[in-house]
Structure formats: structure tokens, C-alpha cells
Amino acid sequence: MEDHDTTPVPDDKAAMPETPGSSPLQTPDELAEQKKQYEELNDRYLRLAADFDNYRKRTARDHETMVQHANERFAIDILEIADNLERALKSDDAHLRTGVEQIHQLLCGILARQGITPIDALKKSFDPEEHEAVAHIPSNEAEGTVVDVVSPGYRMHKKLIRYAKVAVSKGNNSHDEVAVEKP
């Protein structure tokens, strides 16, 4: 069985609209011009891609340098604390507590300058988004109240960076206990 195409095909080539590049017979000058345009566009594309790659690498390097510089400033502040701790350890026992208190104040100031603040948890209602319960103990406080802070939690610019490890009250259970008589 033969397949016959019934679509009319114009015999006259002039009847078809001419589009750039549709002519099968182009002059060598036209081909050379198109090849030149292609090479120019390809060269521009390759240069743009290389420029973008260089930009990406440069911004990554700049970001890394900025992070290292920030860490360096923080390290210098912490080294001041280390120096003061060494001095406190060399002092006599009478001045040791005063020295350690001053070092603690210095550390708190450095942390505050870096945007690091402690979470106030003591006597607050337990919040699992800020606290990590490490103990559940009986106390005179209401059930679910933080009664002891084992390790303080910290925020850095409103972002929680460490949960506060706390002991939580399970209430005063003295009235819940019922004496059981043995028969």
C-alpha cells in the first residue's frame, strides 16, 4: 500500500517567504559574515561565563576573609580572658575570687559585644524551644517551673545557639502520697 501526500507543494520558490538563513544557497560572503557573528557571540558568551565564574570565586574569597577577620577579633577578646585567668591562677587565694569575678564580667561584656546573651530561665515556665530538661525534681514551685539552671542557654542576635539545661519542678508531691495499711 502506498502513502500519498495530498498537501500541495508550491513549485515556485519565489512564493515562499524568505527568512535569514532559509536560503539553501548563500554566497560565501554571507556565510563568512554569519560565521563571524557566531564567533563574536560565542566569544562574548565565553567571556561573560568566565567573568561570572571569577566574580563567584572573588565573592566567596571575600566572604571567607570577612568570616576569618570576625573570628580573629573574637579570638583576640577571648585571649584577653585567658591572660586574666593565668594571672588569677598565679595570685594568692585572698584575691582569687575577686579576680575570677572580674574575669567573668569581662567575658560577659565580650559576649554581649558579639551579640551573645544568656537566656533567663530560673523561675520561668519550662519552654522546650529554649530549655532542655535534664532533671524533673519535686519542689515547692509549681509543676513545670524551672527550679535550677545546670548550664545556661545563649542567643546570638535573637537566634538560639544553645539550649539552657535545666531542672524542672514536678510540684510538691507530699500531699499526693497516701499511706497504705498492710492487712
Side-chain angles (χ1 to χ4, degrees):
M1 188 183 269
E2 286 185 30
D3 197 3
H4 295 287
D5 189 9
T6 58
T7 309
V9 178
D11 291 335
D12 187 12
K13 300 273 186 194
M16 292 183 66
E18 192 164 322
T19 58
S22 68
S23 174
L25 300 175
Q26 293 181 335
T27 65
D29 290 339
E30 290 174 335
L31 286 174
E33 180 63 30
Q34 283 184 348
K35 188 173 182 180
K36 182 181 175 187
Q37 287 178 349
Y38 169 78
E39 288 174 358
E40 287 175 1
L41 288 173
N42 192 40
D43 186 54
R44 284 179 55 195
Y45 166 75
L46 291 174
R47 288 181 188 273
L48 184 62
D51 285 346
F52 179 72
D53 192 44
N54 290 338
Y55 167 76
R56 184 182 52 78
K57 289 176 183 175
R58 184 175 54 249
T59 55
R61 253 189 335 264
D62 291 347
H63 177 71
E64 183 65 28
T65 301
M66 186 173 62
V67 168
Q68 286 177 348
H69 184 66
N71 288 340
E72 180 181 323
R73 286 188 302 223
F74 189 65
I76 289 170
D77 286 345
I78 296 297
L79 288 174
E80 187 178 345
I81 293 172
D83 293 342
N84 287 333
L85 282 171
E86 285 180 25
R87 284 188 209 106
L89 291 173
K90 291 177 185 176
S91 71
D92 60 5
D93 289 341
H95 295 96
L96 184 62
R97 178 155 181 89
T98 305
V100 172
E101 286 173 352
Q102 290 173 348
I103 293 169
H104 183 259
Q105 289 174 350
L106 176 66
L107 176 62
C108 290
I110 289 171
L111 293 175
R113 282 196 307 270
Q114 298 298 323
I116 300 172
T117 55
I119 295 172
D120 184 27
L122 194 61
K123 305 288 185 194
K124 304 279 178 162
S125 181
F126 178 77
D127 180 1
E129 292 188 16
E130 290 184 346
H131 308 135
E132 177 184 342
V134 294
H136 203 225
I137 59 175
S139 77
N140 292 331
E141 297 293 328
E143 184 176 348
T145 302
V146 174
V147 292
D148 187 27
V149 177
V150 177
S151 179
Y154 289 93
R155 291 187 185 284
M156 184 172 196
H157 306 292
K158 296 184 180 180
K159 180 184 178 215
L160 183 71
I161 59 174
R162 186 172 87 177
Y163 290 97
K165 294 181 180 171
V166 298
V168 182
S169 172
K170 58 180 172 179
N172 190 348
N173 292 338
S174 62
H175 56 70
D176 293 338
E177 296 177 14
V178 178
V180 178
E181 293 183 18
K182 292 184 180 180

